Amino acid sequence: MNKLNSLRQKPAIKLGLYLLKFGISFFILWRIAAKVDLGLALTGISALSLLTILLVLLITILRHICQYFNWMYALKINPDFNADGRDVLNSYMIGLPLRFAIPGGHASVAKIFYVSNSSRIASLWSTALERGFMTWSSWCFAAAAGLFFYTQYTPWLFIGLFLLCLMIPEFIKIILSWRQDWAALRQSYNLYAPRMLVLQVANSLLTYLQYWLILNSFLPISRWETWLRMALTQFSNTIPITVGGLGLREGFAIHFLKGAGFTAEQAVSATLSLFIIQDILPALLGIYFLARTSRK
């Protein structure tokens, strides 16, 4: 493992991995462009009603509030963390544009340099928990949706996957009980981890509500069908091989929305609409925080 980590740190290897991920992003987009009229997809975005855009924007604010508190609780799991809310807000906003710096969103970890903490290792631990719980929510909802979508398979497969995902936070708690000097960390985890889990479930449900509002601008679709298909689509966001999930998510949406009567162009329009409102606009605001905030 040490040799592998050492190899990854070599400039040539890091550059190669960086170019490979960008290449994957562009390849997937090229494959989609071969099947989709992107002009029609972009036209579909502009066809959203003002009310729909305003509602999606409002839910976007709520989602970012959830994610801000998720980051703050992740930091507070470190018992020695004592930074104020302004530091946490600045670092959170700075992380939004940084996630576009390299494929997979890994550059967002640099936000730890903009918040005071007892150590960089503690901040890295908090970042891992923050992203881990976001992934946990996507996996749980995708496994549950798979139970109802893939009816041709035995239900125990997806029940088992769901229960396994559900137990991940408990596995972390068990790991923290291995050493006595982690007792304080374990107590903080027991306090803040449940709050983070609730926030991530709420964030996922708000995402499906956003998709329901957008998709109904094209074709009528129930909330159940929206959750079923978009929970499986959102699983693509946990595969860190593209820039902001761009390309991979659109491919998943085309596949899963096809059965609900949506064209490829409409599926791409839906995901790109939410991507612009939920990710691009806040990232542009985050650039302002990045420019005016000094490193700690």
Side-chain angles (χ1 to χ4, degrees):
M1 181 62 71
N2 290 332
K3 290 182 178 179
L4 180 60
N5 290 332
S6 176
L7 184 64
R8 286 174 174 170
Q9 293 304 314
K10 292 184 178 180
I13 300 298
K14 292 174 69 175
L15 178 61
L17 292 173
Y18 180 79
L19 293 176
L20 176 62
K21 289 186 175 183
F22 260 114
I24 293 173
S25 297
F26 284 115
F27 174 75
I28 293 173
L29 285 174
W30 172 74
R31 293 292 297 169
I32 291 175
K35 300 179 180 180
V36 178
D37 187 334
L38 290 180
L40 287 177
L42 294 174
T43 301
I45 297 174
S46 63
L48 297 178
S49 68
L50 179 60
L51 178 60
T52 298
I53 293 174
L54 290 176
L55 288 174
V56 173
L57 275 172
L58 177 61
I59 297 171
T60 288
I61 295 172
L62 293 176
R63 284 184 61 192
H64 280 290
I65 290 174
C66 288
Q67 294 303 82
Y68 160 76
F69 279 103
N70 183 54
W71 173 229
M72 182 176 68
Y73 291 147
L75 289 167
K76 285 187 173 183
I77 287 179
N78 171 24
D80 298 323
F81 175 77
N82 57 8
D84 58 25
R86 183 180 295 274
D87 263 3
V88 178
L89 177 61
N90 286 342
S91 62
Y92 172 75
M93 293 302 299
I94 287 170
L96 298 180
L98 289 178
R99 66 186 289 263
F100 292 98
I102 61 174
H106 305 301
S108 63
V109 73
K111 66 186 178 183
I112 67 174
F113 296 113
Y114 296 88
V115 63
S116 301
N117 207 342
S118 57
S119 70
R120 292 289 175 235
I121 296 298
S123 294
L124 284 172
W125 157 251
S126 297
T127 304
L129 281 179
E130 178 203 27
R131 297 192 65 175
F133 279 29
M134 292 167 64
T135 300
W136 168 86
S137 179
S138 295
W139 285 358
C140 284
F141 278 109
L147 176 64
F148 299 98
F149 188 85
Y150 293 107
T151 54
Q152 69 270 33
Y153 298 108
T154 174
W156 291 109
L157 171 63
F158 292 99
I159 292 173
L161 288 173
F162 176 75
L163 293 176
L164 180 62
C165 293
L166 205 62
M167 290 300 296
I168 290 176
E170 288 298 317
F171 295 151
I172 297 175
K173 186 186 298 186
I174 292 172
I175 292 173
L176 291 177
S177 65
W178 287 354
R179 293 180 53 174
Q180 185 61 37
D181 55 348
W182 289 349
L185 189 62
R186 185 169 63 252
Q187 290 176 0
S188 296
Y189 179 85
N190 291 338
L191 176 62
Y192 292 111
R195 305 182 190 183
M196 296 172 66
L197 297 178
V198 170
L199 286 172
Q200 289 315 303
V201 170
N203 180 67
S204 293
L205 293 175
L206 289 172
T207 302
Y208 307 140
L209 178 57
Q210 287 177 305
Y211 274 124
W212 179 76
L213 290 168
I214 293 172
L215 289 172
N216 271 278
S217 297
F218 303 117
L219 287 176
I221 184 173
S222 68
R223 293 181 180 87
W224 171 261
E225 284 293 322
T226 300
W227 166 74
L228 196 65
R229 298 173 188 278
M230 299 318 294
L232 293 167
T233 297
Q234 285 296 100
F235 173 78
S236 64
N237 287 343
T238 67
I239 306 174
I241 61 173
T242 64
V243 180
L246 194 61
L248 196 62
R249 180 176 53 248
E250 281 63 44
F252 273 55
I254 291 172
H255 172 74
F256 289 114
L257 288 173
K258 182 180 180 180
F262 289 87
T263 65
E265 288 78 13
Q266 290 170 333
V268 173
S269 292
T271 55
L272 286 181
S273 297
L274 189 56
F275 179 70
I276 291 171
I277 296 173
Q278 171 66 29
D279 297 297
I280 297 296
L281 294 181
L284 294 176
L285 180 60
I287 293 174
Y288 165 76
F289 283 82
L290 181 62
R292 73 179 188 87
T293 305
S294 58
R295 287 180 52 174
K296 299 297 180 182

